[in-house]
C-alpha cells in the first residue's frame, strides 16, 4: 500500500486491498487508515481529505464498492472483486430439494428469524425494504414504528445485523423533507436490499463459489495485508 494523500489514493489502495475497516482501528485485521498521510483529517467536510466523506462518496461515484457495518459491528469497505467471497459464506446455505442432490441457496431471512438467528426488528426492517426497495433510516424507523429510546436502540441493532448478514446495504444518504417539499436536518443513510445494490450478475457469480474456496481466498488476502492477524480475528472478520 502506498501513502494515502486524498480520495483517489484511497480508492486505488482499496481496490488493491479489496476490503478494510472503515475507521482508524484495524481491529486486529486491516485498516487503510494505517496508510493515511498527514493531509488526511476526519470531520473537516473536505471531500478530498476527510475519510468521513468518503463513505458516501464511493457510493455516489462507483458501483463496485460497498460501505456498511460489515465487520465487528463497525463500518468497512468491500469491493466488487471480493464481495462474492463474503456472500458465499454469509448468505449461502446448504439445502436438499425433494429427489435432488445437495445444493446451495441464499438464506431466507424469514427462515433465519424462525430459527432465532435474527431479531423481530430486523425482520420488520427487511420487509419494509422488500416493499419499498429503498428507504432512508428516518423513514424506516417511522414506518416500522420504532419510537422511543428502547425501540430506537433495537432498530440500530437490526440495521447492523442486516448489513453484516448482507441482507441490506447502504446505497446513499438523504435528509428529511418538510410538507413544503424542503429538505432539512441531518443526512441519514439510505438502505436497499443487497441484491439490488450489487445486481444479478455479481450475485450469480457469488453463488457459484464454494465456502471452502471463499474462506481460503479471504484468509490468504488478509494474511497478505496483515501477516500478524490472528486466526480468531480473521474468522470473525470473514464470517461476521
Amino acid at each position: 500500500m502506498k501513502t494515502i494523500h486524498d480520495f483517489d489514493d484511497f480508492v486505488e489502495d482499496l481496490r488493491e486491498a479489496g476490503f478494510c475497516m472503515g475507521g482508524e482501528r484495524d481491529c486486529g485485521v486491516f485498516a487503510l487508515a494505517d496508510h493515511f498521510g498527514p493531509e488526511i483529517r476526519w470531520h473537516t467536510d473536505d471531500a478530498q481529505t476527510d475519510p468521513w466523506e468518503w463513505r458516501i462518496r464511493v457510493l455516489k461515484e462507483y458501483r463496485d464498492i460497498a460501505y456498511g457495518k460489515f465487520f465487528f459491528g463497525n463500518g468497512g469497505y468491500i469491493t466488487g472483486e471480493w464481495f462474492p467471497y463474503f456472500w458465499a459464506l454469509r448468505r449461502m446455505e446448504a439445502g436438499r430439494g425433494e429427489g435432488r442432490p445437495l445444493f446451495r441457496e441464499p438464506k431466507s431471512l424469514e427462515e433465519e428469524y424462525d430459527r432465532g438467528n435474527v431479531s423481530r426488528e430486523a425482520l420488520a426492517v427487511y420487509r419494509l425494504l422488500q416493499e419499498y426497495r429503498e428507504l432512508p433510516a428516518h423513514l424506516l424507523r417511522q414506518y416500522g414504528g420504532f419510537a422511543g429510546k428502547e425501540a430506537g436502540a433495537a432498530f440500530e441493532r437490526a440495521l447492523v445485523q442486516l448489513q453484516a448478514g448482507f441482507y441490506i446495504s447502504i446505497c446513499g444518504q438523504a435528509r428529511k423533507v418538510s410538507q413544503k417539499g424542503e429538505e432539512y436536518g441531518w443526512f441519514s443513510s439510505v438502505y436497499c436490499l443487497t441484491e439490488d445494490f450489487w445486481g444479478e450478475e455479481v450475485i450469480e457469480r457469488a453463488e457459484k463459489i464454494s465456502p471452502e474456496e471463499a474462506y481460503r481466498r479471504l484468509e490468504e488476502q488478509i494474511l497478505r495485508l496483515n501477516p500478524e492477524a490472528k486466526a480468531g480475528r480473521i474468522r470473525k472478520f470473514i464470517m461476521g
Side-chain angles (χ1 to χ4, degrees):
M1 300 291 124
K2 67 176 184 302
T3 301
I4 296 171
H5 300 287
D6 57 23
F7 175 74
D8 293 332
D9 286 345
F10 171 75
V11 172
E12 186 176 336
D13 273 14
L14 176 58
R15 291 195 186 284
E16 181 180 343
F19 45 78
C20 72
M21 299 298 301
E24 294 181 283
R25 296 174 56 245
D26 65 15
C27 293
V29 182
F30 179 72
L32 280 173
D34 294 338
H35 301 274
F36 287 173
E39 305 91 342
I40 307 305
R41 292 180 295 170
W42 294 82
H43 305 298
T44 63
D45 297 327
D46 188 321
Q48 279 295 99
T49 57
D50 180 359
W52 187 249
E53 298 296 314
W54 298 348
R55 303 166 304 120
I56 301 301
R57 188 173 173 186
V58 295
L59 300 178
K60 289 180 177 179
E61 297 184 19
Y62 301 99
R63 291 303 303 164
D64 65 338
I65 299 176
Y67 173 84
K69 293 191 174 181
F70 305 132
F71 311 119
F72 307 112
N74 295 310
Y77 295 89
I78 303 174
T79 67
E81 178 183 357
W82 287 92
F83 166 78
Y85 298 102
F86 286 100
W87 175 278
L89 290 162
R90 297 196 194 183
R91 275 297 303 272
M92 300 297 291
E93 68 178 347
R96 186 180 296 277
E98 186 175 350
R100 296 179 181 179
L102 193 69
F103 65 96
R104 282 168 49 78
E105 61 182 356
K107 293 178 182 178
S108 159
L109 190 71
E110 287 76 10
E111 291 180 358
E112 287 295 281
Y113 173 73
D114 290 340
R115 295 166 183 164
N117 295 331
V118 297
S119 68
R120 174 177 56 83
E121 292 82 6
L123 180 61
V125 169
Y126 185 72
R127 285 176 170 169
L128 282 170
L129 287 172
Q130 284 183 310
E131 178 180 356
Y132 289 93
R133 311 310 292 186
E134 187 175 300
L135 281 174
H138 58 268
L139 289 183
L140 279 170
R141 183 165 180 166
Q142 177 185 330
Y143 295 169
F146 297 106
K149 185 176 181 180
E150 186 174 339
F155 171 68
E156 294 297 332
R157 289 193 297 270
L159 291 179
V160 173
Q161 187 174 48
L162 289 168
Q163 289 174 80
F166 292 147
Y167 290 99
I168 69 173
S169 294
I170 298 174
C171 54
Q173 62 180 6
R175 299 166 70 191
K176 295 180 180 178
V177 179
S178 70
Q179 292 183 344
K180 296 180 179 180
E182 299 173 346
E183 293 184 345
Y184 69 96
W186 297 101
F187 281 101
S188 61
S189 296
V190 176
Y191 294 90
C192 64
L193 299 179
T194 298
E195 292 90 332
D196 290 346
F197 180 89
W198 287 106
E200 291 183 6
E201 182 178 343
V202 175
I203 300 301
E204 288 175 359
R205 179 157 51 93
E207 291 175 351
K208 295 176 182 177
I209 300 172
S210 72
E212 294 80 13
E213 178 190 0
Y215 197 93
R216 176 181 60 80
R217 289 291 305 277
L218 288 167
E219 183 179 42
E220 287 175 352
Q221 181 69 354
I222 290 170
L223 289 172
R224 186 181 75 82
L225 296 168
N226 177 12
E228 303 302 318
K230 305 300 183 184
R233 300 303 284 174
I234 291 174
R235 181 168 183 79
K236 179 65 176 175
F237 182 89
I238 291 175
M239 301 303 295

